[in-house]
Amino acid sequence: MKIDGRHYRTIFPAPDGEGICVIDQTRLPFAFETKTLRSEAEAAVAIRTMIVRGAPLIGATAAYGLALAMREDPSDRNLDGARTRLAATRPTAINLAWALDRVAGMLQPLSPGEREAASFAEAARIADEDVASCRAIGEHGAALIAAIARRKSGPVNVLTHCNAGWLATVDWGTALAPIYVAHDAGVAVHVFVDETRPRNQGAALTAFELNAHGVPHTVIADNAGGHLMQHGEVDLCIVGSDRTTSTGDVCNKIGTYLKALAARDCGVPFYAALPFSTIDWTLTDGVAGIPIEERDAREVTHLTGRTDDGAFATVAVVSPGSPVANPAFDVTPARLVTGIITERGVAEATPEGLLGLYPERRAAT
Ligand SMILES: CSC[C@@H](O)[C@@H](O)C(=O)COP(=O)(O)O
């Protein structure tokens, strides 16, 4: 990603060697600020309070969180404790547990004295692999966009939900990577950006990214997508995922399922873009098996934004006293998913489709 001509990743070692830098996503789109995480506790707070968010970035941050914990105390006891504490920060994105399992599994046979350096190196490998995976997702997904471009005149209109761009990963993004690759290759792309209430990751973060990259886009209210699809204004939907089952059920930001239903009714292809670290091979039924995070009611009852005079303000928007529910994710059943765009190619949302791309999982299942 480039901000004002400077290349950034969303997470990187601090220049002073004392911590890990992240972009504070709670300040976007109005302020671009980095923050240094200097302890496991600070990494946990960053994930829980959504200073960092998005499944792959949560995983990378947890990996660095475990490394920071090893710098503080590399004992077996602290390794187990830090892994448990970091795993509890957010429940839905499987990338969190995947990254912690990978780093902890690598550290367990090592002596305490070897753990700090080894864990920082492993966290850096996870970050590098995420960049490579997302770039490859971009190439595979861009081919789908280019194929549509060849069949029509005018830009390819892509609808996306939430933020599955570079801010949600280490770089490139999942759902937005195909858009960036297609745009950079000269394919005309226009993106309908769902605002994504209650936290507005679409309006705040996806729109910020697309602006920074110069991709034409239009922010829409969450409820507008079905109408646009009915009127032939959307060529395809691409969303990210926080956890996808071995059968192709896709869990993503709340509201994704409704877009998939509308897409099916209107004959619009509906793709999920995700790296291998988002696949939960232990689950076959996403609706029954994926834990859905229930977040604070205040995210629904209040909105925060910038007033015309530049000040930040939080205002109430719900009738006082009304009970509120705030499920943060939903599950789109595989039957509504046209395909899954991964770093290895595009799979059907079926067990055979996914195993075709990941044959090494056949032995494990
Ligand atoms: C490449 S990120 C895919 C998902 O993590 C993304 O679509 C999403 O739902 C993020 O939710 P968030 O609650 O902002 O962490």
Side-chain angles (χ1 to χ4, degrees):
M1 78 178 91
K2 265 200 182 145
I3 303 292
D4 295 334
R6 179 172 162 195
H7 180 260
Y8 282 90
R9 285 183 173 188
T10 53
I11 188 163
F12 53 94
D16 64 4
E18 290 299 309
I20 296 300
C21 295
V22 295
I23 296 165
D24 185 348
Q25 300 193 26
T26 63
R27 304 285 294 156
L28 289 169
F30 302 113
F32 184 84
E33 293 171 6
T34 57
K35 195 173 175 64
T36 304
L37 310 176
R38 299 187 190 278
S39 64
E40 173 220 324
E42 288 184 5
V45 168
I47 298 171
R48 191 176 298 110
T49 62
M50 295 178 68
I51 287 168
V52 295
R53 31 69 51 205
L57 180 56
I58 289 171
T61 308
Y64 275 116
L66 209 45
L68 291 166
M70 292 301 92
R71 191 175 69 184
E72 293 163 62
D73 168 6
S75 66
D76 286 349
R77 201 178 121 112
N78 196 44
L79 175 55
D80 287 348
R83 181 185 184 171
T84 304
R85 287 187 293 274
L86 287 162
T89 50
R90 290 194 74 189
T92 301
I94 188 71
N95 308 61
L96 176 65
W98 170 85
L100 290 170
D101 288 351
R102 175 166 156 177
V103 180
M106 185 273 303
L107 292 179
Q108 261 145 4
L110 301 184
S111 68
E114 297 171 304
R115 284 178 175 164
E116 178 185 341
S119 55
F120 275 103
E122 190 68 1
R125 271 191 291 276
I126 286 175
D128 288 347
E129 286 173 22
D130 186 62
V131 177
S133 291
C134 288
R135 169 75 209 188
I137 286 170
E139 298 288 345
H140 294 300
L144 296 171
I145 296 175
I148 294 173
R150 285 193 289 275
R151 297 197 299 267
K152 70 172 288 201
S153 60
V156 177
N157 290 301
V158 183
L159 182 140
T160 193
H161 192 69
C162 193
N163 171 263
W166 38 256
L167 289 167
T169 61
V170 179
D171 204 351
W172 285 99
T174 56
L176 296 192
I179 290 162
Y180 292 134
V181 172
H183 172 84
D184 292 350
V187 177
V189 193
H190 166 265
V191 186
F192 283 114
V193 179
D194 286 349
E195 61 175 348
T196 319
R197 273 283 282 153
R199 285 187 69 99
N200 294 326
Q201 289 96 327
L205 305 178
T206 299
F208 171 81
E209 283 192 28
L210 295 173
N211 266 325
H213 203 88
V215 179
H217 62 281
T218 306
V219 178
I220 54 173
D222 286 325
N223 296 328
H227 165 79
L228 293 172
M229 289 190 230
Q230 269 179 335
H231 288 267
E233 293 192 46
V234 178
D235 294 304
L236 84 162
C237 301
I238 312 180
V239 299
S241 175
D242 293 83
R243 193 185 294 225
T244 288
T245 65
S246 62
T247 51
D249 291 345
V250 172
C251 179
N252 191 48
K253 181 53 55 190
I254 192 76
T256 302
Y257 172 48
L258 286 175
K259 297 300 144 65
L261 284 170
R264 173 55 53 93
D265 190 48
C266 299
V268 174
F270 186 93
Y271 287 92
L274 50 113
F276 65 99
S277 51
T278 299
I279 303 173
D280 185 342
W281 296 98
T282 69
L283 291 181
T284 54
D285 182 342
V287 175
I290 297 177
I292 301 294
E293 179 178 15
E294 180 74 29
R295 291 189 60 83
D296 198 315
R298 200 171 159 85
E299 292 182 349
V300 176
T301 57
H302 289 70
L303 280 173
T304 299
R306 196 172 65 172
T307 60
D308 286 346
D309 60 8
F312 284 85
T314 298
V315 295
V317 291
V318 171
S319 179
S322 289
V324 166
N326 187 13
F329 298 93
D330 61 25
V331 174
T332 299
R335 65 188 150 76
L336 298 176
V337 179
T338 309
I340 297 182
I341 308 168
T342 77
E343 72 284 351
R344 292 195 186 174
V346 183
E348 266 185 15
T350 61
E352 275 311 306
L354 285 169
L355 286 172
L357 287 187
Y358 299 96
E360 69 274 23
R361 297 299 312 184
R362 279 188 198 278
T365 49

